[in-house]
Amino acid sequence: VMNCLFANGAVMHHPKNEHRVYLKLVSGKVEEGFIYHYDTERLVDVLNDARRFIPFFSKREGKLLVLNKDHVEFVHSLDEHYS
């Protein structure tokens, strides 16, 4: 479940799956963490759809980041059933 906190203090809960990945940014930085998606989506759907940003939890930074897809060079799945 992802929680979105709004400026007015409201919290919205979004049930999403986490997909464990390594990703490399165009800057050369490599991150391990989780990309989040709905049950009805596959990882490839999230990466190739029209949305410009993807939610990513960075294990190194210990926080949720919102990544611009244009800055992602590649994504490698670490989930066994996708490898």
Side-chain angles (χ1 to χ4, degrees):
V1 174
M2 287 183 57
N3 296 321
C4 297
L5 180 62
F6 295 94
N8 67 0
V11 176
M12 181 179 248
H13 304 284
H14 294 281
K16 289 194 175 189
N17 296 322
E18 60 183 25
H19 194 109
R20 191 168 154 239
V21 298
Y22 275 122
L23 60 80
K24 182 178 179 186
L25 303 176
V26 294
S27 67
K29 187 177 185 182
V30 176
E31 291 277 351
E32 179 181 351
F34 299 94
I35 291 177
Y36 295 91
H37 59 85
Y38 291 107
D39 282 339
T40 56
E41 299 173 311
R42 301 171 298 163
L43 178 61
V44 69
D45 298 329
V46 173
L47 297 174
N48 291 312
D49 68 15
R51 291 175 287 193
R52 189 169 175 190
F53 297 93
I54 53 175
F56 174 76
F57 182 85
S58 168
K59 287 181 73 176
R60 183 179 58 81
E61 294 190 30
K63 62 183 175 181
L64 184 68
L65 307 173
V66 180
L67 298 180
N68 184 327
K69 289 183 190 177
D70 293 340
H71 295 200
V72 177
E73 187 172 317
F74 75 82
V75 175
H76 174 74
S77 173
L78 296 173
D79 282 350
E80 289 182 20
H81 60 280
Y82 287 99
S83 299

Coordinates of all heavy atoms in Angstrom, one line a residue:
V1 N 0.8 -1.2 0.0 CA 0.0 0.0 0.0 C 0.9 1.2 0.0 O 1.8 1.3 0.8 CB -0.9 0.0 1.2 CG1 -1.7 1.3 1.3 CG2 -1.9 -1.2 1.2
M2 N 0.6 2.1 -0.9 CA 1.3 3.4 -0.9 C 0.4 4.5 -0.3 O -0.8 4.5 -0.6 CB 1.7 3.8 -2.4 CG 2.8 3.0 -3.0 SD 3.2 3.6 -4.6 CE 3.6 5.3 -4.3
N3 N 1.0 5.3 0.4 CA 0.2 6.4 1.0 C 0.7 7.7 0.4 O 1.9 8.0 0.3 CB 0.5 6.5 2.5 CG 0.0 5.3 3.3 OD1 -1.1 4.8 2.9 ND2 0.7 4.8 4.2
C4 N -0.3 8.5 0.0 CA 0.0 9.9 -0.6 C -0.4 10.9 0.5 O -1.6 10.9 0.9 CB -0.8 10.1 -1.9 SG -0.3 8.9 -3.2
L5 N 0.4 11.8 0.8 CA 0.2 12.8 1.8 C 0.0 14.1 1.0 O 0.8 14.5 0.3 CB 1.3 13.0 2.8 CG 1.1 14.0 3.9 CD1 -0.1 13.7 4.7 CD2 2.4 14.1 4.7
F6 N -1.2 14.8 1.2 CA -1.5 16.0 0.5 C -1.1 17.2 1.4 O -1.0 17.1 2.7 CB -2.9 16.1 0.1 CG -3.3 15.0 -0.9 CD1 -3.8 13.8 -0.5 CD2 -3.1 15.3 -2.2 CE1 -4.1 12.8 -1.5 CE2 -3.4 14.3 -3.2 CZ -3.9 13.1 -2.8
A7 N -1.0 18.4 0.8 CA -0.6 19.6 1.6 C -1.6 19.9 2.7 O -1.2 20.4 3.7 CB -0.5 20.7 0.6
N8 N -2.8 19.5 2.5 CA -3.8 19.8 3.6 C -3.8 18.8 4.7 O -4.6 18.8 5.6 CB -5.2 19.9 2.9 CG -5.7 18.6 2.4 OD1 -5.0 17.6 2.4 ND2 -6.9 18.6 1.8
G9 N -2.9 17.8 4.6 CA -2.7 16.8 5.7 C -3.5 15.5 5.4 O -3.4 14.6 6.2
A10 N -4.3 15.5 4.4 CA -5.1 14.3 4.0 C -4.2 13.2 3.5 O -3.2 13.5 2.9 CB -6.2 14.6 3.0
V11 N -4.5 12.0 3.8 CA -3.8 10.8 3.3 C -4.7 10.0 2.5 O -5.8 9.7 2.9 CB -3.2 10.0 4.5 CG1 -2.5 8.8 4.1 CG2 -2.3 10.8 5.4
M12 N -4.2 9.6 1.3 CA -4.9 8.7 0.4 C -4.1 7.4 0.3 O -2.9 7.4 0.1 CB -5.1 9.3 -0.9 CG -5.8 8.5 -1.9 SD -6.0 9.4 -3.5 CE -7.7 9.7 -3.5
H13 N -4.8 6.2 0.5 CA -4.1 4.9 0.4 C -4.4 4.3 -1.0 O -5.5 4.3 -1.4 CB -4.7 4.0 1.5 CG -4.5 4.6 2.9 ND1 -3.3 4.6 3.5 CD2 -5.4 5.1 3.7 CE1 -3.5 5.1 4.7 NE2 -4.7 5.5 4.8
H14 N -3.3 3.9 -1.6 CA -3.4 3.2 -2.9 C -2.8 1.8 -2.8 O -1.6 1.7 -2.6 CB -2.6 4.0 -4.0 CG -3.2 5.4 -4.2 ND1 -4.3 5.6 -5.0 CD2 -2.8 6.6 -3.8 CE1 -4.5 6.8 -5.1 NE2 -3.7 7.5 -4.4
P15 N -3.6 0.8 -2.9 CA -3.1 -0.6 -2.9 C -2.3 -0.9 -4.2 O -2.8 -0.8 -5.3 CB -4.3 -1.5 -2.8 CG -5.4 -0.7 -3.3 CD -5.1 0.8 -3.1
K16 N -1.0 -1.1 -4.0 CA -0.1 -1.4 -5.2 C 0.8 -2.5 -4.9 O 1.2 -2.8 -3.7 CB 0.7 -0.1 -5.6 CG -0.2 1.0 -6.2 CD 0.7 2.0 -6.8 CE -0.1 3.0 -7.6 NZ 0.7 3.9 -8.4
N17 N 1.3 -3.2 -5.9 CA 2.3 -4.2 -5.8 C 3.7 -3.6 -5.9 O 3.8 -2.6 -6.6 CB 2.1 -5.2 -6.9 CG 0.8 -6.0 -6.8 OD1 0.4 -6.3 -5.8 ND2 0.2 -6.2 -8.0
E18 N 4.6 -4.2 -5.2 CA 6.0 -3.7 -5.4 C 6.8 -4.7 -6.2 O 6.6 -5.9 -6.1 CB 6.7 -3.5 -4.1 CG 6.8 -4.7 -3.2 CD 7.4 -4.3 -1.8 OE1 7.3 -3.1 -1.4 OE2 8.0 -5.2 -1.2
H19 N 7.6 -4.2 -7.1 CA 8.4 -5.1 -8.0 C 9.9 -4.7 -7.7 O 10.3 -3.6 -8.0 CB 8.0 -4.8 -9.4 CG 8.5 -5.8 -10.4 ND1 7.7 -6.7 -11.0 CD2 9.8 -6.1 -10.8 CE1 8.4 -7.4 -11.8 NE2 9.7 -7.1 -11.7
R20 N 10.6 -5.7 -7.2 CA 12.1 -5.4 -6.9 C 12.9 -5.3 -8.1 O 12.9 -6.2 -9.0 CB 12.5 -6.6 -6.0 CG 13.9 -6.3 -5.3 CD 14.1 -7.3 -4.2 NE 15.6 -7.4 -4.1 CZ 16.2 -8.5 -4.2 NH1 15.6 -9.7 -4.5 NH2 17.5 -8.5 -4.1
V21 N 13.7 -4.3 -8.2 CA 14.5 -4.0 -9.4 C 15.8 -3.4 -9.1 O 16.0 -2.8 -8.0 CB 13.8 -3.1 -10.4 CG1 12.5 -3.6 -10.9 CG2 13.5 -1.7 -9.8
Y22 N 16.8 -3.5 -10.1 CA 17.9 -2.6 -10.2 C 17.6 -1.7 -11.3 O 17.0 -2.1 -12.3 CB 19.2 -3.4 -10.6 CG 20.0 -4.0 -9.5 CD1 20.2 -5.4 -9.4 CD2 20.5 -3.2 -8.4 CE1 20.9 -6.0 -8.4 CE2 21.2 -3.8 -7.4 CZ 21.4 -5.2 -7.4 OH 22.1 -5.8 -6.4
L23 N 17.9 -0.4 -11.2 CA 17.8 0.5 -12.3 C 19.0 1.3 -12.4 O 19.7 1.6 -11.4 CB 16.5 1.3 -12.3 CG 16.2 2.2 -11.1 CD1 16.9 3.5 -11.3 CD2 14.7 2.5 -11.1
K24 N 19.3 1.7 -13.7 CA 20.4 2.6 -13.9 C 19.9 3.9 -14.5 O 19.1 3.9 -15.5 CB 21.4 2.0 -14.9 CG 22.6 2.8 -15.2 CD 23.6 2.2 -16.1 CE 24.8 3.1 -16.3 NZ 25.7 2.5 -17.4
L25 N 20.3 5.0 -13.9 CA 19.9 6.3 -14.4 C 20.9 6.8 -15.5 O 22.0 6.3 -15.5 CB 19.8 7.3 -13.3 CG 18.9 6.9 -12.1 CD1 19.0 7.9 -11.0 CD2 17.4 6.8 -12.6
V26 N 20.5 7.7 -16.3 CA 21.4 8.2 -17.4 C 22.6 8.9 -16.8 O 23.6 9.0 -17.5 CB 20.6 9.1 -18.4 CG1 19.6 8.3 -19.2 CG2 20.0 10.3 -17.7
S27 N 22.5 9.3 -15.6 CA 23.7 9.9 -14.9 C 24.7 8.9 -14.5 O 25.8 9.2 -14.1 CB 23.2 10.6 -13.6 OG 22.8 9.6 -12.7
G28 N 24.4 7.6 -14.7 CA 25.3 6.5 -14.3 C 25.0 5.9 -13.0 O 25.6 4.8 -12.6
K29 N 24.2 6.5 -12.2 CA 23.9 6.1 -10.8 C 23.0 4.8 -10.9 O 22.1 4.7 -11.8 CB 23.1 7.2 -10.1 CG 22.7 6.9 -8.7 CD 22.0 8.2 -8.2 CE 21.7 8.1 -6.7 NZ 21.0 9.3 -6.3
V30 N 23.4 3.8 -10.1 CA 22.6 2.5 -10.1 C 21.9 2.4 -8.8 O 22.5 2.7 -7.7 CB 23.5 1.3 -10.3 CG1 22.8 0.0 -10.2 CG2 24.2 1.4 -11.7
E31 N 20.6 2.1 -8.8 CA 19.8 2.0 -7.6 C 19.2 0.6 -7.5 O 18.8 0.1 -8.5 CB 18.7 3.0 -7.6 CG 19.2 4.5 -7.5 CD 19.4 4.9 -6.0 OE1 19.0 4.1 -5.1 OE2 19.9 6.0 -5.8
E32 N 19.0 0.1 -6.3 CA 18.2 -1.1 -6.0 C 17.0 -0.6 -5.2 O 17.1 0.2 -4.4 CB 18.9 -2.1 -5.2 CG 18.1 -3.4 -5.0 CD 18.8 -4.4 -4.1 OE1 20.0 -4.3 -3.9 OE2 18.1 -5.4 -3.7
G33 N 15.8 -1.2 -5.6 CA 14.6 -0.8 -4.8 C 13.4 -1.4 -5.4 O 13.5 -2.5 -6.0
F34 N 12.3 -0.7 -5.3 CA 11.0 -1.2 -5.8 C 10.3 -0.2 -6.6 O 10.2 1.0 -6.3 CB 10.1 -1.5 -4.5 CG 10.8 -2.6 -3.6 CD1 11.5 -2.2 -2.5 CD2 10.6 -3.9 -3.9 CE1 12.1 -3.1 -1.7 CE2 11.2 -4.9 -3.0 CZ 11.9 -4.5 -2.0
I35 N 9.7 -0.7 -7.7 CA 8.8 0.1 -8.6 C 7.4 -0.4 -8.2 O 7.2 -1.6 -8.0 CB 9.1 -0.1 -10.1 CG1 10.4 0.5 -10.4 CG2 7.9 0.4 -10.9 CD1 10.8 0.4 -11.9
Y36 N 6.5 0.5 -8.1 CA 5.1 0.1 -7.6 C 4.1 0.2 -8.8 O 4.2 1.0 -9.7 CB 4.6 1.1 -6.5 CG 5.5 0.9 -5.3 CD1 6.6 1.7 -5.1 CD2 5.1 0.0 -4.3 CE1 7.4 1.5 -3.9 CE2 5.9 -0.2 -3.2 CZ 7.0 0.6 -3.0 OH 7.7 0.4 -1.9
H37 N 3.2 -0.8 -8.8 CA 2.2 -0.9 -9.9 C 1.0 -1.6 -9.4 O 1.0 -2.3 -8.4 CB 2.8 -1.6 -11.1 CG 3.2 -3.0 -10.9 ND1 2.4 -4.1 -10.9 CD2 4.4 -3.5 -10.6 CE1 3.0 -5.2 -10.7 NE2 4.3 -4.8 -10.5
Y38 N -0.2 -1.3 -10.1 CA -1.4 -1.9 -9.7 C -1.4 -3.4 -10.1 O -0.7 -3.8 -11.0 CB -2.6 -1.2 -10.4 CG -2.8 0.2 -9.9 CD1 -2.5 1.3 -10.6 CD2 -3.4 0.4 -8.6 CE1 -2.6 2.6 -10.1 CE2 -3.6 1.6 -8.1 CZ -3.2 2.7 -8.8 OH -3.4 4.0 -8.4
D39 N -2.4 -4.2 -9.5 CA -2.5 -5.6 -9.9 C -2.8 -5.8 -11.4 O -2.4 -6.8 -11.9 CB -3.7 -6.2 -9.1 CG -3.3 -6.6 -7.7 OD1 -2.1 -6.7 -7.4 OD2 -4.3 -6.7 -6.9
T40 N -3.4 -4.9 -12.0 CA -3.8 -5.0 -13.4 C -2.7 -4.6 -14.3 O -2.8 -4.7 -15.6 CB -5.0 -4.1 -13.7 OG1 -4.7 -2.7 -13.3 CG2 -6.2 -4.5 -12.9
E41 N -1.5 -4.2 -13.8 CA -0.4 -3.8 -14.6 C 0.8 -4.7 -14.5 O 1.0 -5.3 -13.4 CB 0.1 -2.4 -14.2 CG -0.9 -1.3 -14.4 CD -0.4 0.0 -13.8 OE1 0.1 0.0 -12.6 OE2 -0.5 1.0 -14.5
R42 N 1.6 -4.9 -15.5 CA 2.9 -5.5 -15.4 C 3.9 -4.5 -15.4 O 3.7 -3.3 -15.7 CB 3.1 -6.4 -16.7 CG 2.1 -7.4 -16.9 CD 2.2 -8.1 -18.2 NE 2.0 -7.1 -19.3 CZ 2.4 -7.2 -20.6 NH1 3.0 -8.3 -21.0 NH2 2.2 -6.2 -21.4
L43 N 5.2 -4.8 -15.0 CA 6.3 -3.9 -14.9 C 6.5 -3.2 -16.3 O 6.6 -2.0 -16.4 CB 7.5 -4.6 -14.5 CG 8.8 -3.7 -14.4 CD1 8.6 -2.6 -13.4 CD2 10.0 -4.5 -14.0
V44 N 6.4 -4.0 -17.3 CA 6.6 -3.5 -18.7 C 5.6 -2.5 -19.0 O 5.8 -1.5 -19.7 CB 6.8 -4.6 -19.7 CG1 5.4 -5.3 -19.9 CG2 7.3 -4.1 -21.0
D45 N 4.3 -2.7 -18.6 CA 3.3 -1.7 -18.8 C 3.6 -0.4 -18.2 O 3.4 0.7 -18.8 CB 1.9 -2.2 -18.2 CG 1.5 -3.5 -18.9 OD1 1.8 -3.7 -20.1 OD2 0.8 -4.3 -18.2
V46 N 4.1 -0.4 -16.9 CA 4.4 0.8 -16.2 C 5.5 1.6 -16.9 O 5.5 2.8 -17.0 CB 4.8 0.5 -14.7 CG1 5.3 1.8 -14.0 CG2 3.6 -0.1 -14.0
L47 N 6.5 0.8 -17.4 CA 7.7 1.5 -18.0 C 7.3 2.1 -19.4 O 8.0 3.0 -19.8 CB 8.8 0.5 -18.1 CG 9.4 0.0 -16.8 CD1 10.4 -1.1 -17.0 CD2 9.9 1.1 -16.0
N48 N 6.3 1.5 -20.1 CA 6.1 1.9 -21.4 C 4.8 2.7 -21.6 O 4.5 3.1 -22.7 CB 6.0 0.7 -22.3 CG 7.4 0.1 -22.5 OD1 8.3 0.8 -22.8 ND2 7.4 -1.2 -22.3
D49 N 4.1 3.0 -20.5 CA 2.8 3.8 -20.7 C 3.1 5.2 -20.8 O 4.3 5.7 -20.8 CB 1.8 3.4 -19.6 CG 2.2 3.9 -18.2 OD1 3.1 4.7 -18.1 OD2 1.6 3.5 -17.2
A50 N 2.1 6.0 -20.9 CA 2.2 7.5 -21.2 C 2.6 8.3 -20.0 O 3.0 9.4 -20.1 CB 0.9 8.0 -21.7
R51 N 2.5 7.7 -18.8 CA 2.9 8.4 -17.6 C 4.4 8.8 -17.6 O 5.2 7.9 -18.0 CB 2.6 7.6 -16.3 CG 1.1 7.5 -16.0 CD 0.9 6.6 -14.9 NE 1.2 5.2 -15.3 CZ 0.8 4.1 -14.6 NH1 0.3 4.3 -13.4 NH2 1.1 2.9 -15.0
R52 N 4.7 10.0 -17.3 CA 6.1 10.4 -17.4 C 6.9 10.1 -16.2 O 8.2 9.9 -16.2 CB 6.1 12.0 -17.5 CG 7.4 12.5 -17.9 CD 7.3 14.0 -18.3 NE 8.7 14.5 -18.5 CZ 8.9 15.8 -18.6 NH1 7.9 16.6 -18.6 NH2 10.1 16.2 -18.8
F53 N 6.3 9.8 -15.0 CA 7.0 9.6 -13.8 C 6.6 8.2 -13.2 O 5.4 7.8 -13.4 CB 6.7 10.7 -12.8 CG 7.2 12.0 -13.2 CD1 6.4 12.9 -13.9 CD2 8.5 12.4 -12.9 CE1 6.8 14.1 -14.3 CE2 9.0 13.6 -13.3 CZ 8.1 14.5 -14.0
I54 N 7.5 7.6 -12.5 CA 7.2 6.3 -11.8 C 7.6 6.4 -10.3 O 8.6 7.0 -10.0 CB 7.9 5.1 -12.5 CG1 9.4 5.3 -12.6 CG2 7.3 4.8 -13.8 CD1 10.2 4.2 -13.2
P55 N 6.8 5.8 -9.5 CA 7.1 5.8 -8.0 C 8.2 4.7 -7.8 O 8.0 3.5 -8.3 CB 5.8 5.4 -7.3 CG 5.0 4.8 -8.4 CD 5.4 5.3 -9.7
F56 N 9.3 5.0 -7.1 CA 10.4 4.1 -6.9 C 10.8 4.3 -5.5 O 11.2 5.4 -5.0 CB 11.5 4.4 -7.9 CG 12.7 3.6 -7.6 CD1 12.8 2.2 -8.0 CD2 13.9 4.2 -7.0 CE1 14.0 1.5 -7.7 CE2 15.0 3.4 -6.8 CZ 15.1 2.1 -7.1
F57 N 10.9 3.1 -4.7 CA 11.4 3.2 -3.3 C 12.9 2.8 -3.4 O 13.2 1.7 -3.8 CB 10.7 2.2 -2.4 CG 11.2 2.3 -1.0 CD1 10.8 3.3 -0.1 CD2 12.2 1.4 -0.6 CE1 11.3 3.4 1.2 CE2 12.7 1.5 0.7 CZ 12.3 2.5 1.6
S58 N 13.8 3.7 -3.1 CA 15.2 3.5 -3.1 C 15.6 2.8 -1.8 O 15.5 3.4 -0.7 CB 16.0 4.8 -3.3 OG 17.3 4.6 -3.0
K59 N 16.2 1.6 -1.9 CA 16.7 1.0 -0.7 C 17.9 1.7 -0.1 O 18.0 1.8 1.1 CB 17.2 -0.5 -1.0 CG 16.0 -1.4 -1.2 CD 16.4 -2.8 -1.5 CE 16.9 -3.5 -0.2 NZ 17.3 -4.9 -0.5
R60 N 18.7 2.3 -0.9 CA 19.9 3.1 -0.4 C 19.5 4.3 0.3 O 20.0 4.6 1.4 CB 20.8 3.5 -1.6 CG 22.1 4.2 -1.2 CD 22.9 4.5 -2.4 NE 22.2 5.4 -3.4 CZ 22.1 6.7 -3.3 NH1 22.5 7.3 -2.3 NH2 21.4 7.3 -4.2
E61 N 18.5 5.1 -0.2 CA 18.1 6.3 0.4 C 17.0 6.1 1.5 O 16.8 6.9 2.3 CB 17.6 7.3 -0.6 CG 18.7 7.8 -1.5 CD 18.3 8.9 -2.4 OE1 17.5 9.7 -2.0 OE2 18.9 9.0 -3.5
G62 N 16.4 4.9 1.4 CA 15.3 4.6 2.4 C 14.1 5.4 2.2 O 13.4 5.7 3.2
K63 N 13.8 5.9 1.0 CA 12.6 6.7 0.8 C 12.0 6.6 -0.6 O 12.7 6.1 -1.5 CB 12.9 8.2 1.1 CG 13.9 8.8 0.2 CD 14.2 10.3 0.6 CE 15.3 10.9 -0.2 NZ 15.6 12.2 0.2
L64 N 10.8 7.0 -0.7 CA 10.1 6.9 -2.0 C 10.5 8.1 -2.8 O 10.5 9.3 -2.4 CB 8.6 7.0 -1.7 CG 7.7 6.8 -3.0 CD1 7.9 5.4 -3.6 CD2 6.3 7.1 -2.7
L65 N 10.9 7.8 -4.1 CA 11.3 8.8 -5.0 C 10.3 8.8 -6.2 O 9.7 7.7 -6.5 CB 12.7 8.5 -5.6 CG 13.8 8.4 -4.6 CD1 15.1 7.9 -5.3 CD2 14.0 9.6 -3.8
V66 N 10.1 9.8 -6.9 CA 9.3 9.9 -8.1 C 10.3 10.2 -9.2 O 10.8 11.2 -9.3 CB 8.2 10.9 -8.0 CG1 7.4 10.9 -9.3 CG2 7.3 10.7 -6.8
L67 N 10.5 9.1 -10.1 CA 11.5 9.2 -11.1 C 10.9 9.6 -12.4 O 9.9 9.1 -12.9 CB 12.3 7.9 -11.3 CG 13.0 7.4 -10.1 CD1 13.7 6.0 -10.4 CD2 14.1 8.4 -9.6
N68 N 11.6 10.5 -13.1 CA 11.2 10.8 -14.5 C 11.7 9.7 -15.4 O 12.9 9.4 -15.4 CB 11.9 12.2 -14.9 CG 11.5 12.6 -16.3 OD1 11.3 11.9 -17.2 ND2 11.5 14.0 -16.4
K69 N 10.9 9.1 -16.2 CA 11.2 8.0 -17.0 C 12.3 8.3 -18.0 O 13.1 7.4 -18.4 CB 10.0 7.4 -17.8 CG 9.0 6.7 -16.9 CD 7.9 6.2 -17.8 CE 6.8 5.7 -17.1 NZ 5.7 5.2 -18.0
D70 N 12.4 9.6 -18.4 CA 13.4 10.0 -19.4 C 14.8 9.9 -18.8 O 15.8 9.9 -19.5 CB 13.2 11.4 -19.8 CG 11.9 11.6 -20.7 OD1 11.4 10.6 -21.2 OD2 11.4 12.7 -20.7
H71 N 14.9 9.8 -17.5 CA 16.2 9.7 -16.8 C 16.6 8.3 -16.4 O 17.7 8.1 -15.8 CB 16.2 10.6 -15.5 CG 16.0 12.0 -15.8 ND1 16.4 13.0 -14.9 CD2 15.6 12.7 -16.9 CE1 16.1 14.2 -15.5 NE2 15.6 14.0 -16.6
V72 N 15.8 7.3 -16.8 CA 16.1 5.9 -16.5 C 16.6 5.2 -17.8 O 16.0 5.2 -18.8 CB 14.8 5.1 -16.1 CG1 15.1 3.7 -15.8 CG2 14.2 5.8 -14.8
E73 N 17.9 4.7 -17.7 CA 18.5 4.1 -18.8 C 18.0 2.6 -19.0 O 17.7 2.2 -20.1 CB 20.0 4.1 -18.7 CG 20.8 3.6 -19.9 CD 22.3 3.9 -19.7 OE1 22.7 4.9 -19.3 OE2 23.0 2.9 -20.1
F74 N 18.0 1.9 -17.9 CA 17.5 0.5 -18.0 C 17.0 0.1 -16.6 O 17.3 0.6 -15.6 CB 18.5 -0.5 -18.5 CG 19.6 -0.9 -17.6 CD1 19.4 -1.9 -16.6 CD2 20.8 -0.3 -17.7 CE1 20.4 -2.2 -15.8 CE2 21.9 -0.7 -16.8 CZ 21.6 -1.6 -15.9
V75 N 16.1 -1.0 -16.6 CA 15.6 -1.6 -15.4 C 15.8 -3.1 -15.5 O 15.5 -3.7 -16.6 CB 14.0 -1.3 -15.3 CG1 13.4 -2.0 -14.1 CG2 13.8 0.2 -15.2
H76 N 16.3 -3.7 -14.5 CA 16.5 -5.1 -14.4 C 15.6 -5.7 -13.3 O 15.8 -5.3 -12.1 CB 17.9 -5.5 -14.2 CG 18.2 -6.9 -14.0 ND1 18.2 -7.8 -15.0 CD2 18.5 -7.6 -12.8 CE1 18.4 -9.0 -14.5 NE2 18.6 -8.9 -13.2
S77 N 14.7 -6.6 -13.6 CA 13.9 -7.2 -12.6 C 14.7 -8.2 -11.7 O 15.5 -9.0 -12.1 CB 12.7 -8.0 -13.2 OG 12.0 -8.7 -12.3
L78 N 14.4 -8.0 -10.4 CA 15.0 -9.0 -9.4 C 14.0 -9.9 -8.8 O 14.3 -10.8 -8.0 CB 15.7 -8.2 -8.2 CG 16.9 -7.3 -8.7 CD1 17.3 -6.4 -7.5 CD2 18.0 -8.1 -9.2
D79 N 12.8 -9.8 -9.3 CA 11.7 -10.8 -8.9 C 11.9 -12.1 -9.7 O 12.0 -12.1 -10.9 CB 10.3 -10.2 -9.1 CG 9.9 -9.2 -8.1 OD1 10.7 -9.1 -7.1 OD2 8.9 -8.5 -8.3
E80 N 12.0 -13.2 -9.0 CA 12.2 -14.5 -9.6 C 11.3 -14.8 -10.7 O 11.7 -15.4 -11.8 CB 12.2 -15.6 -8.6 CG 13.4 -15.6 -7.6 CD 13.3 -16.7 -6.6 OE1 12.7 -17.7 -6.9 OE2 14.0 -16.6 -5.6
H81 N 10.0 -14.6 -10.6 CA 9.0 -15.0 -11.6 C 9.0 -14.1 -12.8 O 8.4 -14.4 -13.8 CB 7.6 -15.1 -11.0 CG 7.1 -13.8 -10.4 ND1 7.4 -13.4 -9.2 CD2 6.2 -12.9 -10.9 CE1 6.8 -12.3 -8.9 NE2 6.1 -11.9 -10.0
Y82 N 9.9 -13.1 -12.8 CA 10.0 -12.2 -14.0 C 11.4 -12.4 -14.6 O 11.6 -11.9 -15.7 CB 9.8 -10.7 -13.6 CG 8.4 -10.4 -13.4 CD1 8.0 -10.3 -12.0 CD2 7.5 -10.1 -14.4 CE1 6.6 -10.0 -11.8 CE2 6.2 -9.8 -14.1 CZ 5.8 -9.7 -12.8 OH 4.5 -9.4 -12.6
S83 N 12.3 -13.1 -14.0 CA 13.7 -13.2 -14.5 C 13.8 -14.3 -15.6 O 13.0 -15.1 -15.7 CB 14.6 -13.6 -13.4 OG 14.6 -12.6 -12.4

